[in-house]
Amino acid sequence: MMRVLRTIFLFDLIEGLWVTFRYQRPKHIYTEQYPAQRPKVAERYRGAPRLNNNPETGETLCIACNLCALACPETLIVVGSERNEQTRRKELTTFTYDISRCMFCGLCEDACPVDALELTQDFEMAAYSREGAIWDRQMLEEGPRPTRYKF
Amino acid sequence: MPDSTFLDASELVLNMGPQHPSTHGVLRVILKLDGEKVIGTECVIGYLHRGVEKIAENRTYVQFAPYVDRMDYVAAVSNGLGYCLAVEKLLGVEAPPRAQVVRVILTELNRVASHLIWLGTHALDIGAITPLFYTMREREETLNIFEKYCGARLTNHAFRIGGLQYETYDGFEREVRACCDLLLPRIDEYEELLTGNRIWIGRLKNVGILNAEDCKAYGVTGPMLRAAGVKWDIRKAQPYSGYERYEFEIPTGVNGDTYDRYMVRMLEMRQSVRIIRQAVDGMPAGPIMGKVPKVIRPPVGEVYVSIEAPKGELGYYVVSDNSTQPYRVRVRPPSFVNLQSLDKMARGSLVADVVAIIGTIDIVLGEVDR
């Protein structure tokens, strides 16, 4: 009897609709209004790479050891270095990083012995051309500059 | 495919896919129809083939780990676990206890996330749009934990050979507990939306029946096998990563139809939450990385390690020739094997049921094609 009544009065459908109506209140809104509302990414987020400088002297921390290039599965890092005849040490000249092939696995940042190469929280890396996705040393040190829209 | 049709009526060959929203990717199914009835299907796969197994031969063991995440991308953590376990077995090392517990927590969270994606898209295929929004919302909670733990949301690369790269963050245990507390009532809500719904029952009951014998003949594993009534779960049968320490049940179905598979997966999510809770309660302190040499160079040999991925048995067969690169890596993807049963299930059903049957197999084309 109960079952017949439940069937006639569409109880199963109303039960489901009740769940839907419970979430109609504005406090249940989950949508993020990007780009007006920017997502907060986690501290360990693996985003755009950055080549860190020493904050005091402004010199690069990179010692041109080439370990990141060896660790990279896609071999997309090219490190250029030159031997300084006075100090007898290798110095970094160029550093290119191909964002378009990067899969942000973080192996390069794990390999870096001096914390020079780091994957940062920047996640907007769009470029207008394929060449624009190949970052040089200057770009890596300054970081991406995505357009900030005003609302 | 059978050639004769009913009363010699001209049969219709219909291409479903590769760009069809209900094939969950780039799967092409050639349907042979007699009116509304399916008299044969043929799957054309390979549209997403990237040659992952070949890539492995040109990468070192460590370098190949991010690639396995890209096979079953909705359960990337499980893929990584399987690969790490295989190489660890080859090396003869074991992850420390703390690493094993964190691995279990993350893989079980990933299992829930994978089942949530499956539930949402499966319901969407059948016409229930609402659950998709809710399952995506809850999946977000698990993805936030992944993001905070390892820095990536989808293709995590969370585990390393020999243990873990990252220590858990502050508040990890609290957030995992909060996620578990959130998930259980939300799973009840999905059941309120679907389980008793007459349209849902009408579309799923007695559709795509695959009994236990057929499951075994096709090599079908995972929730599909359990829905046919076979109590087979690799976490119980061949425990890995400390699964023998946790109490959980293997949910099974009776008929092996689409509705049973739905129920099995819903129960499995609850069991996963149960495992996560036990794991978080008993998290030991200690190191997270085992004794692994800097340059991984396993001795000559071959291993096969299989784990219970959300979709079934995920196996890695790794051959080493004592160099830094694997000689061969062969993957046994659950989606690929389970997809073979599509023809058996779809034959004799209606066109609309084919969508439900593809959805219930829970395929990810990245894993089918590799």
Side-chain angles (χ1 to χ4, degrees):
Chain A
M1 182 63 196
M2 204 54 199
R3 217 179 131 206
V4 174
L5 278 178
R6 282 165 85 100
T7 315
I8 290 170
F9 289 108
L10 301 170
F11 187 80
D12 50 328
L13 299 183
I14 290 165
E15 201 186 8
L17 273 176
W18 174 236
V19 175
T20 321
F21 277 114
R22 276 211 305 260
Y23 285 114
Q24 295 305 305
R25 274 191 290 168
K27 75 164 200 179
H28 290 303
I29 290 176
Y30 231 73
T31 315
E32 229 164 44
Q33 296 296 332
Y34 180 81
Q37 206 183 350
R38 299 181 64 75
K40 261 190 109 172
V41 295
E43 213 172 294
R44 294 177 182 177
Y45 189 78
R46 299 198 299 257
R50 183 177 64 203
L51 207 54
N52 288 330
N53 286 331
N54 189 331
E56 283 159 18
T57 58
E59 281 172 10
T60 184
L61 286 171
C62 181
I63 53 170
C65 64
N66 209 32
L67 281 177
C68 50
L70 290 173
C72 181
E74 287 287 325
T75 56
L76 52 83
I77 301 172
V78 180
V79 183
S81 62
E82 206 170 52
R83 184 172 285 276
N84 189 330
E85 286 304 325
Q86 284 165 347
T87 55
R88 321 281 290 157
R89 272 161 67 183
K90 263 184 10 182
E91 276 179 6
L92 183 73
T93 51
T94 55
F95 196 105
T96 54
Y97 193 111
D98 190 347
I99 290 290
S100 63
R101 277 157 58 206
C102 183
M103 53 184 175
F104 305 98
C105 61
L107 285 173
C108 53
E109 112 186 292
D110 295 346
C112 188
V114 288
D115 291 337
L117 189 62
E118 197 184 347
L119 296 180
T120 60
Q121 283 151 305
D122 298 322
F123 53 88
E124 288 154 318
M125 287 165 275
Y128 281 104
S129 63
R130 280 172 192 268
E131 288 75 27
I134 302 171
W135 290 11
D136 56 8
R137 186 178 162 186
Q138 189 198 354
M139 181 78 172
L140 283 164
E141 282 172 354
E142 287 168 3
R145 296 229 177 91
T147 320
R148 297 291 157 119
Y149 297 95
K150 290 206 174 71
F151 292 90
Chain B
M1 259 191 227
D3 286 325
S4 62
T5 53
F6 178 66
L7 287 181
D8 250 7
S10 61
E11 59 182 36
L12 179 73
V13 175
L14 185 72
N15 270 311
M16 185 175 165
Q19 274 88 27
H20 189 283
S22 293
T23 56
H24 295 232
V26 279
L27 170 71
R28 178 175 162 216
V29 185
I30 303 169
L31 298 172
K32 222 170 197 188
L33 304 175
D34 175 18
E36 273 284 294
K37 220 172 112 200
V38 178
I39 52 173
T41 68
E42 196 184 324
C43 286
V44 183
I45 59 170
Y47 292 98
L48 205 57
H49 180 67
R50 291 150 296 174
V52 168
E53 292 173 5
K54 190 70 191 169
I55 288 172
E57 295 168 22
N58 299 307
R59 300 284 186 276
T60 63
Y61 285 93
V62 177
Q63 280 180 342
F64 182 58
Y67 290 91
V68 295
D69 289 355
R70 280 147 181 87
M71 289 193 298
D72 181 0
Y73 38 76
V74 297
V77 176
S78 297
N79 283 273
L81 177 67
Y83 176 70
C84 288
L85 287 173
V87 180
E88 279 163 18
K89 195 175 172 191
L90 207 54
L91 280 168
V93 294
E94 206 179 46
R98 182 175 171 83
Q100 287 192 357
V101 173
V102 175
R103 280 178 173 188
V104 166
I105 293 171
L106 291 178
T107 31
E108 290 306 317
L109 274 176
N110 204 190
R111 185 184 312 275
V112 175
S114 170
H115 281 356
L116 286 176
I117 279 272
W118 161 81
L119 177 65
T121 50
H122 183 42
L124 182 72
D125 288 346
I126 287 167
I129 299 177
T130 316
L132 180 73
F133 304 124
Y134 295 160
T135 56
M136 284 294 188
R137 183 186 61 194
E138 270 71 83
R139 179 171 172 263
E140 192 72 15
E141 301 297 325
T142 65
L143 292 193
N144 281 339
I145 291 174
F146 291 143
E147 186 186 335
K148 281 189 182 161
Y149 172 69
C150 64
R153 296 163 63 82
L154 196 69
T155 44
N156 310 79
H157 193 208
F159 307 145
R160 300 292 196 274
I161 295 158
L164 306 167
Q165 171 70 25
Y166 310 104
E167 183 53 83
T168 55
Y169 56 91
D170 289 338
F172 174 77
E173 293 169 39
R174 181 171 43 83
E175 276 184 27
V176 170
R177 281 206 186 94
C179 187
C180 290
D181 293 343
L182 179 89
L183 277 169
L184 284 182
R186 294 285 165 87
I187 295 169
D188 291 339
E189 262 173 25
Y190 311 143
E191 292 227 48
E192 257 175 71
L193 280 169
L194 295 172
T195 306
N197 188 307
R198 65 187 70 184
I199 306 166
W200 184 253
I201 293 171
R203 286 297 303 274
L204 295 193
K205 273 254 159 97
N206 296 321
V207 167
I209 295 174
L210 197 69
N211 58 31
E213 280 72 45
D214 288 334
C215 279
K216 285 173 192 164
Y218 280 101
V220 166
T221 47
M224 288 184 73
L225 179 65
R226 291 194 278 277
V230 183
K231 246 187 156 79
W232 174 258
D233 190 317
I234 296 173
R235 289 176 292 175
K236 283 267 192 215
Q238 300 160 5
Y240 55 89
S241 199
Y243 267 110
E244 65 276 7
R245 289 196 292 272
Y246 306 110
E247 259 179 52
F248 62 100
E249 280 150 29
I250 308 173
T252 49
V254 182
N255 304 321
D257 60 358
T258 308
Y259 190 80
D260 273 8
R261 289 191 275 269
Y262 156 74
M263 285 313 286
V264 163
R265 288 197 176 101
M266 295 306 271
L267 291 169
E268 237 175 56
M269 280 198 264
R270 294 205 170 88
Q271 295 298 328
S272 288
V273 171
R274 199 172 148 195
I275 297 173
I276 297 167
R277 280 192 170 149
Q278 291 172 39
V280 175
D281 286 340
M283 224 154 75
I288 51 166
M289 197 70 185
K291 284 196 172 60
V292 177
K294 258 229 154 99
V295 178
I296 291 178
R297 207 170 181 164
V300 178
E302 52 190 57
V303 290
Y304 177 79
V305 170
S306 60
I307 63 161
E308 185 72 28
K311 291 163 182 68
E313 179 187 341
L314 171 72
Y316 283 91
Y317 178 67
V318 185
V319 184
S320 163
D321 59 349
N322 194 21
S323 69
T324 54
Q325 297 171 343
Y327 179 76
R328 175 88 169 92
V329 173
R330 157 79 190 153
V331 187
R332 183 217 187 267
S335 301
F336 174 72
V337 180
N338 290 359
L339 183 62
Q340 311 309 314
S341 61
L342 173 68
D343 186 58
K344 175 84 187 167
M345 287 194 282
R347 208 168 275 208
S349 62
L350 302 177
V351 180
D353 292 338
V354 174
V355 169
I357 292 167
I358 293 174
T360 191
I361 303 174
D362 190 13
I363 46 166
V364 164
L365 267 295
E367 193 179 40
V368 173
D369 296 339
R370 299 195 294 300

